[in-house]
Amino acid sequence: MDRSANRGNHVRAVDAGIQVGVNQPVDSSFSPFCTHWWRYHPMGTGVLTTAVIIGYISVLAVAIQTGIIMVEFIREALDNRKKTSATYMEAVIEGSVSRLRPKLMTVATTVFGLLPIILSSGSGMDITRPIAAPSVGGMVSSTLYVLYFIPCLFMIMEDIRDRMSGNH
């Protein structure tokens, strides 16, 4: 493989890492609200149990994975835009729309699968409910993040590239 092509792949990987990684606080922003609402993390006290931390880790893992997949879907649509003569924005929208149903299905199955855990009261629920609360909240906010913010970041980064190259 040509070294310059390999360098381009590294730049794309760093670009995706920045787009997905910088927005993780936005992505899981609803998790603290849900843990506070269900009284598993009293805000202001700073008390976090191991179960709540496990819930945060699980939602961040899913959010990072779906964010990276969204970036790849958008990149694939951008690569195919040369064949279809679509604009940059049309390609970003096409890539985002192609990822809409899988993301909504992931969120729906996770949220509906964890709701019985949150709503039940039985043996062992004091351990599993604090894991489920941040996961439900994070999945809701990650939906907004993946379906809205990542495509917006693609457009913002393209505008920055245009301004830096003098094509505004």
Side-chain angles (χ1 to χ4, degrees), residues 1-159:
M1 181 188 275
D2 184 19
R3 283 186 178 244
S4 62
N6 194 16
R7 206 171 292 138
N9 289 335
H10 290 306
V11 170
R12 287 180 65 156
V14 170
D15 194 28
I18 290 170
Q19 287 176 338
V20 173
V22 166
N23 290 295
Q24 287 310 307
V26 173
D27 181 30
S28 59
S29 62
F30 200 59
S31 292
F33 172 74
C34 284
T35 53
H36 177 68
W37 185 39
W38 284 308
R39 298 186 188 350
Y40 298 121
H41 176 290
M43 289 188 178
T45 64
V47 177
L48 279 175
T49 64
T50 304
V52 172
I53 293 171
I54 291 170
Y56 279 115
I57 292 170
S58 68
V59 78
L60 283 175
V62 170
I64 289 170
Q65 177 186 15
T66 57
I68 290 171
I69 292 171
M70 175 62 93
V71 167
E72 290 304 315
F73 268 70
I74 293 173
R75 281 197 179 145
E76 183 178 320
L78 288 171
D79 290 342
N80 291 336
R81 82 181 166 126
K82 296 172 184 112
K83 299 173 191 168
T84 61
S85 70
T87 65
Y88 191 88
M89 184 175 286
E90 289 170 343
V92 169
I93 290 171
E94 178 187 330
S96 301
V97 169
S98 65
R99 188 68 188 131
L100 177 66
R101 183 185 290 168
K103 177 60 181 172
L104 291 178
M105 292 302 294
T106 301
V107 171
T109 55
T110 303
V111 170
F112 290 135
L114 292 175
L115 278 179
I117 293 172
I118 291 172
L119 300 175
S120 63
S121 61
S123 176
M125 289 299 127
D126 56 332
I127 299 295
T128 55
R129 274 188 276 166
I131 295 172
S135 298
V136 168
M139 290 306 285
V140 170
S141 61
S142 95
T143 303
L144 297 173
Y145 157 73
V146 167
L147 297 177
Y148 181 71
F149 289 122
I150 288 181
C152 288
L153 281 176
F154 265 89
M155 294 309 301
I156 290 168
M157 291 179 82
E158 178 65 13
D159 286 344

